Amino acid sequence: MNLWLALAAVLAAITTLIHVILGGRYVTTPLLATERLHAVPKFTMYYCWHLVTIVLAALALAFGLVATGRGSRDLALFATAGAALFCLWSLGMIGLFRLRIAHFPQWLLFATITVSGMIGLWQ
């Protein structure tokens, strides 16, 4: 058992739950309630929301499989790279759109997953 990759799996699962529970409450519910958006952009965003949910759950699964010896190291490398890119994109959006870092904390979740994944890959 690779404990660092297991930690990355747990962190990715927690991130998925935060995304579904809090994000559902504070992002998707208001998005679907808005009448100012046309149906196509509104439901495209809703569709993308669910794609992100699937990707987050897949990160947790990928790290979990590799942590328990049932997945290839390449799978953990791919998941770690994905988490790193998500972290960088979050930070990039904060800077680009001058968002308040406290209102856009996703980068921190992805940073912890990335660090755990990187340490686990070195084990």
Side-chain angles (χ1 to χ4, degrees):
M1 168 80 75
N2 184 317
L3 294 179
W4 286 103
L5 294 180
L7 176 61
V10 169
L11 292 169
I14 290 168
T15 301
T16 305
L17 289 173
I18 291 169
H19 171 79
V20 169
I21 296 167
L22 294 179
R25 182 178 306 144
Y26 296 110
V27 178
T28 59
T29 299
L31 172 70
L32 292 175
T34 187
E35 296 177 12
R36 294 177 50 190
L37 277 178
H38 292 119
V40 172
K42 179 192 291 191
F43 290 106
T44 299
M45 292 301 299
Y46 189 60
Y47 173 75
C48 289
W49 182 266
H50 289 292
L51 292 179
V52 170
T53 305
I54 292 165
V55 169
L56 292 173
L59 284 178
L61 177 62
F63 281 121
L65 287 172
V66 180
T68 59
R70 289 179 275 175
S72 163
R73 183 178 185 280
D74 291 339
L75 188 57
L77 181 60
F78 182 77
T80 301
L85 290 170
F86 295 151
C87 176
L88 291 173
W89 179 237
S90 295
L91 291 170
M93 286 186 66
I94 290 167
L96 185 65
F97 298 110
R98 298 179 186 204
L99 301 169
R100 293 178 60 183
I101 201 161
H103 292 163
F104 209 68
Q106 294 88 331
W107 70 271
L108 184 58
L109 296 167
F110 290 117
T112 60
I113 295 167
T114 301
V115 169
S116 298
M118 289 174 68
I119 295 170
L121 284 167
W122 290 331
Q123 299 279 312

